[in-house]
């Protein structure tokens, strides 16, 4: 056993006993880019840092393919890109916020201020993935809720809001 | 691009194509879906570049289980939840395609 020594005496504290940083099923980040493709790259990189991806390149390609089917921007400054993918190992959400707005080819041509990335592992059912996306859409429907999400200071604060609104489906 | 990544992309394209076939449910959420022909062509292009042995297993899994490719977690097939035999351990840490001898699913082991 490896132990930490202090003043020549062992404290008996084993390195293995130091708690690891707990996994949070939600990341929050400020998007620096203006283009949809660059923003998706940044969102995927955040998910990769959380250790929920088997292959970030494949996920990025999947998200771009999904955009080819039709934009995931819903109007009113929000987009809900989503992937039900073999490369996702755990359900996860990445909330990207943009001060200047993103060009996401929204139906109302409004720049996207909130991009809510929903990631679901492939072994989860289609219905459950659809329900997870529906939860994100409903959380973003009201203007005052969107504003509170934009102003939330941390992932914990966002999680608290979503639980308060009954809009969290891990 | 290696065969494993190609197969993963085919899998994910099939999921997107299922979404395209379920326009009503996704439309209710506010998503406007366009034509899927381009994605189908991309799927065909990727499959054409793969070994026929894998594509046959993929298509069989897709028809039988609704998923052509299934992940392995902790040496367990996530389709039938049977632990793979110790002899199936990968030689190196890199991702491979594998066959589940219990259920016949094509496995992604990464």
């Amino acid at each position: 056993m490896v132990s930490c020594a202090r003043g020549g005496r062992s404290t008996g504290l084993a390195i293995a006993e130091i708690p690891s940083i707990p996994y949070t099923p939600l990341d929050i980040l400020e998007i620096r880019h203006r283009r949809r493709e660059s923003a998706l790259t940044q969102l995927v990189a955040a998910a990769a840092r959380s250790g929920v991806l088997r292959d970030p390149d494949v996920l990025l390609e999947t998200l771009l393919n999904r955009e080819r089917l039709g934009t995931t921007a819903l109007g009113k400054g929000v987009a809900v890109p989503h992937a039900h993918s073999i490369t996702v190992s755990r359900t996860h959400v990445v909330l990207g916020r943009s001060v200047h707005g993103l060009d996401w080819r929204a139906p109302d041509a409004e720049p996207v201020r909130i991009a809510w990335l929903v990631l679901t592992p492939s072994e989860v059912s289609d219905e459950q993935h659809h329900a997870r996306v529906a939860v994100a859409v409903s959380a973003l429907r009201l203007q005052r809720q969107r504003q509170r999400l934009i102003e939330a200071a941390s992932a914990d604060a966002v999680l608290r809001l979503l639980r308060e609104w009954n809009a969290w489906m891990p | 691009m290696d065969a494993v990544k190609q197969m993963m992309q085919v899998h994910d394209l099939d999921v997107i194509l299922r979404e395209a076939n379920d326009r009503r449910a996704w439309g209710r959420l506010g998503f406007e879906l366009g034509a899927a022909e381009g994605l189908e062509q991309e799927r065909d292009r990727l499959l054409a570049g793969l070994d026929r042995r894998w594509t046959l297993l993929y298509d069989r899994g897709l028809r039988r289980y609704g998923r052509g490719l299934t992940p392995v977690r902790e040496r367990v097939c996530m389709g039938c939840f049977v632990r793979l035999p110790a002899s199936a351990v990968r030689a190196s840490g890199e991702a491979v395609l594998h066959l589940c001898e219990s259920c016949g699913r094509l496995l992604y082991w990464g």
Side-chain angles (χ1 to χ4, degrees):
Chain A
M1 180 186 289
V2 181
S3 59
C4 300
R6 188 184 296 152
R9 286 175 53 206
S10 169
T11 61
L13 177 65
I15 284 175
E17 289 168 11
I18 297 172
S20 58
I21 298 165
Y23 165 69
T24 313
L26 185 142
D27 289 319
I28 185 164
L29 68 135
E30 303 306 321
I31 297 175
R32 301 181 302 270
H33 307 281
R34 300 297 287 268
R35 290 177 56 243
R36 174 176 66 178
E37 289 72 16
S38 310
L40 284 170
T41 304
Q42 202 183 335
L43 293 168
V44 169
R49 280 195 298 276
S50 288
V52 298
L53 301 183
R54 298 185 172 104
D55 192 318
D57 295 340
V58 171
L59 178 64
L60 181 58
E61 196 62 37
T62 297
L63 291 169
L64 293 173
N65 279 331
R66 174 57 190 81
E67 296 294 333
R68 285 170 63 192
L69 181 64
T71 180
T72 55
L74 299 167
K76 297 182 179 170
V78 303
V80 184
H82 51 272
H84 187 188
S85 170
I86 187 86
T87 193
V88 176
S89 59
R90 274 186 285 193
T91 52
H92 197 76
V93 163
V94 185
L95 175 67
R97 301 182 295 191
S98 168
V99 174
H100 303 293
L102 302 155
D103 175 14
W104 210 288
R105 299 179 201 174
D108 61 359
E110 283 284 309
V112 163
R113 304 275 312 278
I114 301 176
W116 185 276
L117 173 62
V118 178
L119 298 175
T120 310
S122 61
E123 56 267 35
V124 171
S125 70
D126 288 354
E127 291 74 21
Q128 222 174 327
H129 172 63
H130 185 272
R132 296 186 71 237
V133 175
V135 160
V137 171
S138 78
L140 296 168
R141 197 155 275 153
L142 294 176
Q143 202 278 331
R144 67 170 183 279
Q145 293 193 174
R146 293 196 294 273
Q147 194 57 38
R148 287 181 75 187
L149 285 178
I150 286 171
E151 290 165 1
S154 65
D156 280 347
V158 170
L159 268 175
R160 269 198 303 276
L161 286 174
L162 297 182
R163 287 184 175 131
E164 183 188 315
W165 303 332
N166 289 323
W168 176 246
M169 192 180 202
Chain B
M1 191 195 304
D2 66 52
V4 181
K5 279 194 185 209
Q6 257 174 276
M7 196 52 99
M8 291 169 88
Q9 281 193 3
V10 171
H11 170 279
D12 282 5
L13 275 169
D14 278 336
V15 174
I16 296 171
L17 290 169
R18 276 208 305 276
E19 188 172 328
N21 288 331
D22 199 7
R23 282 164 195 274
R24 189 178 289 184
W26 289 96
R28 275 199 294 270
L29 296 184
F31 294 102
E32 293 175 5
L33 304 184
E37 284 86 8
L39 297 179
E40 283 163 359
Q41 285 167 8
E42 174 68 2
R43 178 189 189 276
D44 292 345
R45 189 189 67 77
L46 287 166
L47 278 174
L50 284 162
D51 191 320
R52 191 162 160 72
R53 171 178 55 137
W54 298 129
T55 60
L56 286 173
L57 286 169
Y58 180 87
D59 282 337
R60 193 177 68 177
L62 192 60
R63 280 198 309 276
R64 192 178 289 177
Y65 303 112
R67 297 276 194 282
L69 189 62
T70 303
V72 173
R73 189 175 292 178
E74 310 280 332
R75 228 178 78 208
V76 171
C77 165
M78 295 308 289
C80 65
F81 300 100
V82 167
R83 184 174 288 276
L84 303 182
S87 59
V89 171
R90 292 171 298 159
S92 68
E94 65 189 41
V96 291
L97 295 174
H98 198 82
L99 174 68
C100 176
E101 289 178 12
S102 169
C103 64
R105 283 178 170 90
L106 178 61
L107 301 176
Y108 164 77
W109 197 351

